Amino acid sequence: MNPTMTKKLLLTLLAWGIALIVFFPIFWMVLTGFKTEGEAVATPPSLFFEPTLAGYHEVMARADYLKFALNSIVISFGSTLLALIVAIPSAYSMAFLPTKRTQGTLLWMLSTKMLPPVGVLMPVYLLFRDMGLLDSQLGLTIVYMLMNLPIVVWMLYTFFKDIPKDILEAGRMDGAGTLQEVLYLLLPLTLPGIASTGLLSVILSWNEAFWSLNLTTSDAAPLTAFIASFSSPEGLFWAKLSAASTLAIAPILIFGWMTQKQMVRGLTFGAVK
Amino acid sequence: MATLQLNNIVKDFGGTQVIKGVDLEVKDREFVVFVGPSGCGKSTLMRMIAGLESTTSGEIAIDGERINEVGPADRGLAMVFQSYALYPHMSVEDNMGFSLRLAKVPKAERREKVLAAARILQLEPLLDRKPRALSGGQRQRVAIGRAIVRNPSIFLFDEPLSNLDAALRVQMRIELARLHEELDATMIYVTHDQIEAMTMADKIVVLQDGLVEQIGSPMALYHHPCNRFVAGFIGSPKMNFLDVEVREASNEGVNVALPGGDCRVPVDGSGVSAGDTLTLGIRPEHLKLDDEGPLTGKIVVIERLGGVTSLYLEHGDSEWILVADGDVAHRVHDQVRFSFDPTCGHLFKGDGEALNHLHRHPLVDIDRKQNRVSSASDDQ
Ligand SMILES: Nc1ncnc2c1ncn2[C@@H]1O[C@H](COP(=O)(O)OP(=O)(O)OP(=O)(O)O)[C@@H](O)[C@H]1O
Ligand SMILES: [Mg+2]
């Protein structure tokens, strides 16, 4: 075997190894969801067992899965759309019309991500209470939008920066106003980047639990709240919890699997161009 | 019909002046070339004309009308970028028709105009391709086509050929000259290439450090540079310079001392007196090997190009370049003597300003169109 083949083989094995380690908890969770409560806590853990849907039946009976799922979908896609609408103009201005303070603004925006959310829970809660946004889809959408905005602006900024200025100037010479420049040139050219930014924002919103648990109770509660409702004071029921978790991540897992090409392309956009 | 006037225009980038007051008059259908060392402001000047950079002060006018406040699309100009700046996600046809699409021209009419431009540039078979599937020369032609479709009154080219290989450059140079004739448009062209500047221009503008050094026809700049900078910049290899002492000066000529005897240069020497130091400038192609010559040097480098030979000579601390024919038999380390025709000499004062030649060169006023067989001049 020649050295490049050996190297390739080793890399493939390594990649598979890492992927399996990363995937194992999810695999185990899915597996546990099909066990009885007894098997779920058995030691040593059993890999082969009689699969049962009992956990799922119980979960579906205790809570309205579809309502939670719909909330998750509306809130994560809504907040992503909102974030993109706000972030595209701001990333445009920072990438193409920079000032002395642009770099500072970008860093400052990112620094808000370092603040523990619990630090602002009280003011946000009070604001929401007074504005009647508690337990509403709109309220959570706004919070998620704000939460993801720094990352979305940053990513779009780096994608926009990679677009040669000449192309936009040629567009301007051809008669494009700012809006047409963005619609006809900038967005089509950075579409892979925008798509992967959007996907990331959807996933982050989908997985968010802190705000959803604190700002919603029932009407607008997304799937993270749905999972949490299965950790009861009487103790953990692992099989049920696993079934609920599997149901909660299934949509985003399928969505991520379908868009993985797009994700990879977007995240390596600048590097391979 | 389009003329362009620049009146004392200035560009200031956050405190540093990059263009320091440029005046220029471009006539209708003229081909004007900007040359100058890197960073002298050629691109900035062109972008100001295009409207991509604002003008700090001064006035830009097209056909006598001030356009400082007019946006780039409404000035009636088209620009061809050095990087081509094609829209990568659009086909050749869409690239060329983008301006028309923005102007809401109906599809059929748009296609007709794009096809007309594509025919001129032989781009018809490529209309459905994306820019990434084109060669450098084809991309360049699409960029020019995109400009043509807009039917501008003035074309702006910023080093359009610098990314092409030598053979393609020659071809595109000739094609551009043909286009200029065919389109009857005013063109402004930035280049680093001496040959492009000399062969294409009606008028060359030599810039240095944000200021115009000289404006004139290629032959005028070659034969009558107004200062030492222009003399050194125009012509390749570069003009030789030697500090010389004045023996005698009048408005009928200046005698200067050379190592091998005096020499009389036919320039206006009023204001110069015996004993002054001037700089003598002689182009390498005007020096000739001559065993009786007044100058001498030792050969340090020989560049044999086949048809011509460049000799790099050293004498004391002065260096000379001499362009001779292709059959020079000399070797490095040889000591050679050389001479020149004094009418080809130039004299520059301490501040670099040239002394005026007594006779204007007969080719100075030649029209560029006279150098080319064309339908327009074939009238008999
Ligand atoms: N946006 C800008 N901000 C500040 N300075 C600038 C800007 N654009 C250009 N300059 C400066 O202006 C000067 C002229 O630049 P310009 O690009 O016009 O030169 P050029 O003659 O086209 O050079 P080259 O032959 O290398 O293309 C340079 O010193 C450059 O650093
Ligand atoms: Mg330039």
Side-chain angles (χ1 to χ4, degrees):
Chain A
M1 220 181 332
N2 62 33
T4 53
M5 272 295 283
T6 318
K7 200 175 150 196
K8 230 173 158 175
L9 197 74
L10 281 176
L11 272 177
T12 310
L13 283 176
L14 192 71
W16 271 99
I18 291 174
L20 282 176
I21 292 172
V22 170
F23 184 69
F24 185 76
I26 295 171
F27 168 74
W28 197 250
M29 180 186 80
V30 173
L31 218 57
T32 308
F34 290 103
K35 292 178 182 176
T36 61
E37 289 297 346
E39 276 169 333
V41 291
T43 35
S46 54
L47 197 56
F48 301 100
F49 58 92
E50 188 122 342
T52 166
L53 285 176
Y56 285 89
H57 282 307
E58 210 169 322
V59 165
M60 290 303 244
R62 249 181 62 177
D64 185 356
Y65 169 74
L66 281 181
K67 197 185 90 187
F68 287 99
L70 199 67
N71 277 338
S72 267
I73 291 172
V74 169
I75 293 168
S76 39
F77 282 89
S79 67
T80 297
L81 196 70
L82 215 58
L84 285 176
I85 290 173
V86 175
I88 287 172
S90 62
Y92 175 93
S93 69
M94 288 193 228
F96 300 114
L97 308 162
T99 66
K100 281 200 297 278
R101 286 191 206 87
T102 298
Q103 285 301 322
T105 309
L106 276 166
L107 283 174
W108 167 76
M109 275 179 14
L110 208 61
S111 75
T112 62
K113 295 293 292 176
M114 295 165 198
L115 180 80
V118 71
V120 287
L121 175 60
M122 194 59 117
V124 169
Y125 186 87
L126 293 178
L127 278 172
F128 267 49
R129 189 194 62 191
D130 293 349
M131 291 165 74
L133 288 172
L134 282 176
D135 201 16
S136 72
Q137 288 182 344
L138 179 67
L140 216 51
T141 303
I142 292 173
V143 169
Y144 285 1
M145 184 271 269
L146 293 173
M147 172 184 85
N148 287 334
L149 205 52
I151 293 175
V152 173
V153 172
W154 257 94
M155 283 182 69
L156 291 183
Y157 169 79
T158 48
F159 292 133
F160 287 179
K161 264 230 126 31
D162 276 348
I163 299 297
K165 227 175 133 199
D166 284 359
I167 291 180
L168 298 185
E169 286 180 344
R172 226 177 305 158
M173 294 288 304
D174 269 348
T178 306
L179 189 65
Q180 288 160 319
E181 192 179 312
V182 171
L183 287 182
Y184 292 136
L185 302 177
L186 192 62
L187 293 190
L189 285 173
T190 50
L191 199 59
I194 293 173
S196 65
T197 307
L199 290 175
L200 189 71
S201 161
V202 166
I203 291 169
L204 287 175
S205 303
W206 191 279
N207 294 337
E208 206 288 330
F210 177 79
W211 292 110
S212 68
L213 290 178
N214 283 298
L215 297 178
T216 64
T217 47
S218 61
D219 285 352
L223 285 169
T224 40
F226 168 81
I227 303 177
S229 71
F230 286 93
S231 69
S232 53
E234 312 86 89
L236 288 171
F237 295 94
W238 283 109
K240 243 185 303 162
L241 197 57
S242 296
S245 300
T246 307
L247 281 172
I249 65 165
I252 200 78
L253 211 61
I254 295 168
F255 180 70
W257 182 69
M258 286 191 315
T259 53
Q260 60 174 331
K261 249 202 185 115
Q262 192 62 58
M263 279 290 272
V264 171
R265 198 164 86 135
L267 293 174
T268 55
F269 182 55
V272 295
K273 192 162 43 120
Chain B
M1 169 76 202
T3 64
L4 172 74
Q5 292 89 35
L6 306 183
N7 291 328
N8 194 23
I9 64 168
V10 171
K11 180 69 194 180
D12 195 311
F13 278 123
T16 27
Q17 273 199 5
V18 172
I19 301 292
K20 301 172 181 166
V22 167
D23 292 300
L24 178 66
E25 173 95 40
V26 178
K27 294 208 219 54
D28 187 32
R29 286 171 214 181
E30 202 164 35
F31 199 115
V32 176
V33 172
F34 292 172
V35 296
S38 196
C40 69
K42 305 180 293 290
S43 298
T44 306
L45 193 56
M46 179 157 279
R47 292 166 54 80
M48 288 166 79
I49 297 171
L52 294 171
E53 297 284 0
S54 62
T55 307
T56 308
S57 73
E59 188 182 70
I60 303 178
I62 291 181
D63 289 335
E65 254 175 76
R66 178 184 163 98
I67 54 154
N68 289 39
E69 288 77 24
V70 178
D74 303 321
R75 295 188 177 193
L77 311 171
M79 182 152 166
V80 176
F81 293 79
Q82 177 177 1
S83 60
Y84 316 140
L86 299 178
Y87 312 125
H89 58 301
M90 296 186 198
S91 68
V92 168
E93 178 171 354
D94 291 344
N95 259 282
M96 289 169 66
F98 187 59
S99 59
L100 300 177
R101 180 170 149 210
L102 290 175
K104 304 208 160 54
V105 174
K107 208 162 176 181
E109 190 184 334
R110 205 156 80 200
R111 185 161 173 87
E112 199 176 303
K113 287 191 172 162
V114 169
L115 277 177
R119 209 166 301 130
I120 297 177
L121 294 163
Q122 288 130 38
L123 284 171
E124 287 148 306
L126 307 175
L127 283 177
D128 293 327
R129 296 228 198 134
K130 290 274 171 65
R132 111 175 64 83
L134 299 176
S135 73
Q138 289 167 338
R139 283 179 207 184
Q140 184 58 69
R141 288 217 293 275
V142 174
I144 295 171
R146 186 170 63 181
I148 291 176
V149 166
R150 297 188 51 210
N151 192 21
S153 51
I154 303 179
F155 282 86
L156 304 172
F157 295 93
D158 193 352
E159 305 195 33
L161 307 186
S162 56
N163 288 341
L164 303 180
D165 68 42
L168 208 50
R169 274 166 99 137
V170 175
Q171 191 194 330
M172 287 302 294
R173 203 169 72 210
I174 292 171
E175 212 159 310
L176 272 176
R178 177 177 65 83
L179 263 180
H180 179 231
E181 204 158 302
E182 207 167 313
L183 299 173
D184 259 350
T186 308
M187 294 192 173
I188 301 179
Y189 192 101
V190 171
T191 184
H192 266 118
D193 187 305
Q194 293 263 342
I195 301 180
E196 279 172 33
M198 296 303 273
T199 57
M200 300 172 84
D202 290 312
K203 188 148 98 183
I204 295 180
V205 179
V206 184
L207 290 161
Q208 187 195 202
D209 220 1
L211 284 170
V212 172
E213 292 288 338
Q214 189 172 3
I215 301 178
S217 73
M219 288 303 109
L221 296 197
Y222 181 85
H223 292 291
H224 301 293
C226 72
N227 60 35
R228 192 177 153 164
F229 174 79
V230 175
F233 193 80
I234 299 286
S236 173
K238 220 161 124 38
M239 186 184 274
N240 296 296
F241 295 105
L242 178 71
D243 285 344
V244 290
E245 198 190 311
V246 175
R247 288 266 189 262
E248 185 216 317
S250 73
N251 56 5
E252 281 161 16
V254 176
N255 273 16
V256 295
L258 289 180
D262 287 4
C263 149
R264 187 173 178 82
V265 184
V267 295
D268 182 356
S270 31
V272 180
S273 43
D276 286 359
T277 301
L278 295 177
T279 305
L280 173 68
I282 311 155
R283 296 196 180 280
E285 54 273 32
H286 292 148
L287 289 174
K288 52 179 180 287
L289 292 172
D290 176 355
D291 292 339
E292 318 281 276
L295 298 161
T296 169
K298 190 179 76 175
I299 302 177
V300 287
V301 175
I302 305 182
E303 287 179 344
R304 298 185 190 278
L305 304 178
V308 294
T309 306
S310 302
L311 301 178
Y312 293 75
L313 309 165
E314 252 178 27
H315 178 72
D317 52 4
S318 66
E319 291 173 8
W320 297 84
I321 308 176
L322 184 157
V323 174
D325 60 38
D327 301 327
V328 174
H330 288 291
R331 299 298 168 93
V332 287
H333 296 308
D334 282 3
Q335 197 78 26
V336 294
R337 299 196 73 85
F338 50 100
S339 65
F340 62 96
D341 175 357
T343 56
C344 296
H346 303 267
L347 285 173
F348 304 97
K349 289 192 268 196
D351 60 4
E353 195 190 327
L355 299 180
N356 284 330
H357 262 264
L358 294 177
H359 311 289
R360 279 182 74 72
H361 194 277
L363 292 180
V364 160
D365 297 314
I366 198 161
D367 189 344
R368 181 178 54 91
K369 298 212 168 73
Q370 287 170 256
N371 292 331
R372 191 180 306 271
V373 179
S374 76
S375 44
S377 61
D378 266 356
D379 44 14
Q380 65 272 49

